[in-house]
Amino acid sequence: MSLLSQEAVEFIGYVAPRHASEIHPATGPAIDRGYLRLLAQAHEWGGFDRVLVAFHSTTPDSVLLAAQIAADTQRLGLMIAHRPGFTAPTVAARQFATLDQLSGGRVAIHVITGGDGRELAQDGDHLTKDERYARTREFLDIVRQSWSSTAPFDYAGTYYTVDRGFSEVKPVDGIPVYFGGASAAALEVAGRHADTYALWGETQAQVRELIGRVQEMAARHGRRPRFSLSVRPILAATEEAAWARAEEILARTRAVRAAKGLGPAATPQNEGSRRLLAAAATGSRLDKRLFTAIAAETGAQGNSTALVGTPEQVADALLDYHDLGVRTFLIRGFDPLEDAIQYGRDLLPAFKTALAHRGPRVEAA
């Protein structure tokens, strides 16, 4: 799976090693191999292009999980979340290139620098946010050289110094780099290195503004990144039933948090979460069908806004983001397996049909 064209549409799902979400407290062992296999295969059967394999400071290793997913599927692409700073960039480059070769060219990486210093401290990282992004820039400089260089290279930076670095194993046809982060320091790295820049499910106005900023930063490096939107579709046969389900998910989220003894969510340290909370502060239902109440309830801890409606209505809402320049949609549900099956059966076909049958749209100035 090589780098996508500017206009190709891509759907990415989410595969975790056990059944868990905001409404399903994690229980049992950290890795349920049967569930991992079933969830991965459900995405492949449903027509997803890739799946995200997440990284957190306390969870199973994303690279090894991705290798198992590759073994359990035939064509499904992998978007492996990776946090720079804990594996030497030359080693990480060889790991990803090796898995890309073994999987037949199915690897992409999602570089997450980390927006919460409290979580990073669990892995022994105490750099400031700006320092972490500076380190990420150097990390990606070296990783890209490892993938492309035909001869040993040197690199002298603040965080990494490499003497005659070289990788015998190269990617099959390039490894796409997805990148997230909305702070000024993050956008500087995104402009230099992101093949696809990842946004959370913000309002259309927020997405339009942030895409413009990223495009401006990327133009300084002669680059044109693609754009991804992460959102949690909540579907039902009727709009009324979909909104009822959304309210039920919100109530269950509150109940789970209460059962865990969790009070009001802490103020987030990362800019992306603050942007989601800023949207939520203006209302729980925005644009056509953007539901922000779950983000408000959880402190916008990650991908937590939803698009609510019938498959056709949510497809139409995704098309609005497509009009803004989004070409990758990262979608996952609150009932992970059941929702993945429903997305593949109903939402992906509805979106593709709507896109194929409508005429070109021009965004108003």
Side-chain angles (χ1 to χ4, degrees), residues 98-121:
T98 299
L99 183 55
D100 195 54
Q101 287 285 342
L102 292 174
S103 66
R106 290 194 270 162
V107 169
I109 63 171
H110 182 37
V111 177
I112 50 168
T113 300
D116 189 333
R118 294 163 295 197
E119 186 198 358
L120 278 92

Side-chain angles (χ1 to χ4, degrees), residues 105-162:
R106 290 194 270 162
V107 169
I109 63 171
H110 182 37
V111 177
I112 50 168
T113 300
D116 189 333
R118 294 163 295 197
E119 186 198 358
L120 278 92
Q122 293 179 284
D123 275 330
D125 188 5
H126 299 279
L127 296 183
T128 67
K129 179 189 290 188
D130 286 356
E131 288 170 337
R132 293 197 298 269
Y133 277 109
R135 179 178 62 189
T136 294
R137 180 186 62 77
E138 293 186 10
F139 176 92
L140 287 171
D141 286 346
I142 295 168
V143 164
R144 287 194 181 278
Q145 286 191 68
S146 295
W147 288 339
S148 62
S149 180
T150 58
F153 64 89
D154 297 335
Y155 185 92
T158 301
Y159 301 94
Y160 300 106
T161 300
V162 175

Side-chain angles (χ1 to χ4, degrees), residues 272-356:
S273 292
R274 289 196 288 263
R275 288 173 63 91
L276 288 187
L277 292 179
T282 68
S284 62
R285 300 187 184 188
L286 303 175
D287 294 336
K288 288 179 180 176
R289 52 194 67 260
L290 182 67
F291 187 50
T292 65
I294 297 169
E297 180 67 28
T298 61
Q301 296 177 2
N303 179 11
S304 50
T305 53
L307 291 175
V308 182
T310 67
E312 293 75 19
Q313 289 172 329
V314 172
D316 181 68
L318 293 176
L319 284 174
D320 289 337
Y321 289 107
H322 184 275
D323 289 341
L324 299 178
V326 173
R327 295 295 181 268
T328 290
F329 296 98
L330 197 164
I331 56 175
R332 64 184 179 100
F334 294 94
D335 292 302
L337 177 59
E338 296 86 348
D339 286 341
I341 294 171
Q342 187 181 33
Y343 298 158
R345 184 186 63 226
D346 300 326
L347 181 57
L348 271 63
F351 177 88
K352 293 173 182 177
T353 297
L355 182 63

Side-chain angles (χ1 to χ4, degrees), residues 168-346:
E168 294 180 0
V169 59
K170 306 295 185 186
V172 172
D173 191 21
I175 292 179
V177 174
Y178 295 71
F179 185 89
S183 67
L187 295 184
E188 176 61 39
V189 181
R192 181 182 179 92
H193 280 299
D195 296 313
T196 296
Y197 177 81
L199 305 99
W200 280 341
E202 301 181 350
T203 66
Q204 293 175 37
Q206 287 176 309
V207 168
R208 182 186 298 107
E209 178 268 339
L210 189 50
I211 284 178
R213 289 168 59 196
V214 174
Q215 287 174 329
E216 180 181 352
M217 297 298 291
R220 300 178 187 178
H221 300 279
R223 306 184 73 252
R224 293 181 63 227
R226 288 167 49 89
F227 293 93
S228 171
L229 183 84
S230 298
V231 72
R232 312 284 290 275
I234 298 175
L235 307 179
T238 67
E239 182 173 13
E240 181 181 11
W243 282 112
R245 184 180 175 219
E247 294 295 341
E248 178 191 9
I249 290 171
L250 175 60
R252 291 173 64 184
T253 298
R254 288 172 173 160
V256 168
R257 291 180 59 82
K260 292 180 177 179
L262 299 175
T267 301
Q269 297 181 1
N270 67 86
E271 182 63 20
S273 292
R274 289 196 288 263
R275 288 173 63 91
L276 288 187
L277 292 179
T282 68
S284 62
R285 300 187 184 188
L286 303 175
D287 294 336
K288 288 179 180 176
R289 52 194 67 260
L290 182 67
F291 187 50
T292 65
I294 297 169
E297 180 67 28
T298 61
Q301 296 177 2
N303 179 11
S304 50
T305 53
L307 291 175
V308 182
T310 67
E312 293 75 19
Q313 289 172 329
V314 172
D316 181 68
L318 293 176
L319 284 174
D320 289 337
Y321 289 107
H322 184 275
D323 289 341
L324 299 178
V326 173
R327 295 295 181 268
T328 290
F329 296 98
L330 197 164
I331 56 175
R332 64 184 179 100
F334 294 94
D335 292 302
L337 177 59
E338 296 86 348
D339 286 341
I341 294 171
Q342 187 181 33
Y343 298 158
R345 184 186 63 226
D346 300 326

